[in-house]
Amino acid sequence: MEIAQRNEQTDGADQVSRARCWFKGLAEKLMLKVLEIASKTKKLGQEDPRRIIHSVKVGLAITSVSLFYYFDATYNGFGVSAMWAVMTVVVVFEFSVGATLGKGINRGIATLLAGALGVGAYRVATSFGEKIEPILLGFFVFLFGAVVTFVRFFPRMKARYDYGLLIFILTFSLISVSAYRTDEVIQMAHQRLSTILIGGAAAIITSVAICPVWAGDDFHSLVASNLEKVATFLKEFGSQYLKASSAELVVNKEFPQGYKSVINSKATEESLANFAKWEPRHGMFRYRHPWEKYLEVGNLTRQCAFRIDALNGYLTSEIQVFLSAFDLPHDILNLIWHVF
């Protein structure tokens, strides 16, 4: 009996000890995870302090438009549609002024046109009687939805007005379909347009007035930085490889690799150029600044980076060992250098 009791006590103590160790390990893992998240958060803010300012600006804009929902005077005027102002701020407010302006203007114009056409389609459909009304409304939704969706495939429309075209389809469909079950379609369209304009205006004013982030500045800095990266590689290439001996060509492989980021910068450049075109005059950038020339410079820089990447692959390949035995590297390198 005594031995059995001792075994039970020992097992109970072991279970308590294991549970204590498990909870201790879990607490340590949670603490390490919290510290890791805090470190990443600090690093993210230090890399670009504008991210912190942008977050504060978004919170301020959302709070300002939400007051329309809190106060009875404005809520009685807009009703539940006041929430569209909050939704507009959330989807329109972007990091740069150009992106915010582009989305805000696209959303405002698209809502205005879609609302007017939606009310017009409702009026036309009701004039043909109750039996024909749903057929005509469905036809109008199909027609405008199909046509505008096809227009989105045009490259120019896709680049600058894709968001507006998407909002046009959404707003027209909502108003046309909702109009079949309610007679207050004009009031609904008016409330939605008003709240969207209020939300868009709040987002644009906050973005421009408080520590604005200009896409034009970022685009200019990106193109200049890409040129510097390519120039740095070529400078090292001339100083180390063309003046080196055959043996050194195989050993000396440490080179600035920043040019590789230039190869994948096309999408970023095109996006920043599109946003910059929406921005008003700021700093040294006037209205209708030649952003297309920046894109041309970026394309030429990228072509040079592709050639540099091929050259760097040749210089760091194992083929160098074979070529050095025949004293060919300098001739080949000089030939490639003249091609550039």
Side-chain angles (χ1 to χ4, degrees):
M1 276 304 280
E2 292 180 359
I3 296 175
Q5 290 179 354
R6 289 177 183 176
N7 290 334
E8 290 179 357
Q9 291 177 356
T10 303
D11 292 339
D14 291 340
Q15 291 178 0
V16 172
S17 178
R18 285 195 297 267
R20 187 180 302 167
C21 292
W22 184 83
F23 280 111
K24 184 178 179 180
L26 179 62
E28 291 178 353
K29 289 181 180 180
L30 289 175
M31 182 59 66
L32 290 175
K33 195 67 176 179
V34 170
L35 293 176
E36 182 183 356
I37 294 174
S39 177
K40 290 182 178 180
T41 303
K42 181 180 179 181
K43 182 180 179 181
L44 193 66
Q46 288 177 342
E47 288 177 352
D48 193 350
R50 298 180 302 175
R51 295 169 179 168
I52 301 175
I53 299 175
H54 173 71
S55 303
V56 175
K57 288 162 61 176
V58 172
L60 180 62
I62 293 175
T63 303
S64 63
V65 297
S66 63
L67 297 177
F68 286 89
Y69 200 81
Y70 295 148
F71 293 115
D72 293 337
T74 52
Y75 179 79
N76 293 333
F78 295 105
V80 182
S81 296
M83 292 302 298
W84 281 92
V86 178
M87 294 174 60
T88 300
V89 173
V90 173
V91 300
V92 165
F93 211 132
E94 295 289 341
F95 186 72
S96 65
V97 175
T100 304
L101 276 170
K103 271 196 168 183
I105 294 174
N106 269 281
R107 189 177 181 88
I109 296 177
T111 304
L112 177 62
L113 293 177
L117 290 175
V119 173
Y122 168 74
R123 295 296 188 186
V124 172
T126 53
S127 64
F128 285 88
E130 295 182 358
K131 293 183 178 181
I132 306 298
E133 179 182 353
I135 298 175
L136 281 178
L137 287 176
F139 172 74
F140 287 136
V141 170
F142 166 77
L143 177 63
F144 282 99
V147 171
V148 176
T149 300
F150 183 77
V151 171
R152 292 179 62 195
F153 288 106
F154 287 92
R156 181 176 178 83
M157 303 300 290
K158 183 75 174 179
R160 300 200 64 184
Y161 308 108
D162 184 68
Y163 180 73
L165 296 172
L166 186 65
I167 294 299
F168 177 90
I169 298 173
L170 175 64
T171 305
F172 180 82
S173 301
L174 287 176
I175 292 178
S176 300
V177 174
S178 301
Y180 183 69
R181 295 295 181 182
T182 179
D183 295 331
E184 299 177 351
V185 60
I186 296 180
Q187 181 182 359
M188 179 179 64
H190 176 265
Q191 290 178 346
R192 183 161 300 177
L193 175 62
S194 301
T195 52
I196 287 176
L197 291 178
I198 291 172
I204 292 173
I205 292 173
T206 305
S207 179
V208 176
I210 303 176
C211 300
V213 177
W214 301 104
D217 290 338
D218 290 345
F219 187 28
H220 178 85
S221 300
L222 177 62
V223 174
S225 175
N226 289 343
L227 285 171
E228 290 179 358
K229 291 175 182 177
V230 172
T232 300
F233 180 91
L234 292 176
K235 181 180 178 181
E236 293 294 327
F237 173 85
S239 62
Q240 294 186 27
Y241 278 96
L242 290 182
K243 298 178 182 179
S245 64
S246 299
E248 291 175 333
L249 284 172
V250 182
V251 178
N252 191 5
K253 297 179 181 180
E254 295 185 359
F255 251 166
Q257 302 295 315
Y259 74 90
K260 291 186 177 180
S261 63
V262 180
I263 297 175
N264 301 319
S265 64
K266 181 178 180 180
T268 305
E269 289 180 0
E270 291 179 349
S271 178
L272 288 175
N274 181 36
F275 297 152
K277 292 175 182 178
W278 289 102
E279 293 178 346
R281 174 178 177 178
H282 59 279
M284 60 181 178
F285 305 108
R286 299 178 180 273
Y287 182 66
R288 298 184 67 83
H289 196 71
W291 299 116
E292 297 296 334
K293 299 297 181 182
Y294 281 72
L295 289 175
E296 293 179 7
V297 173
N299 289 331
L300 293 174
T301 306
R302 205 156 28 253
Q303 293 177 16
C304 185
F306 277 114
R307 289 170 171 80
I308 286 176
D309 190 49
L311 175 61
N312 188 46
Y314 161 75
L315 294 174
T316 57
S317 66
E318 295 299 329
I319 301 176
Q320 286 289 342
V321 180
F322 174 78
L323 292 177
S324 61
F326 297 94
D327 295 329
L328 293 178
H330 276 87
D331 296 334
I332 295 176
L333 290 175
N334 286 325
L335 177 62
I336 296 174
W337 179 259
H338 287 301
V339 171
F340 274 95

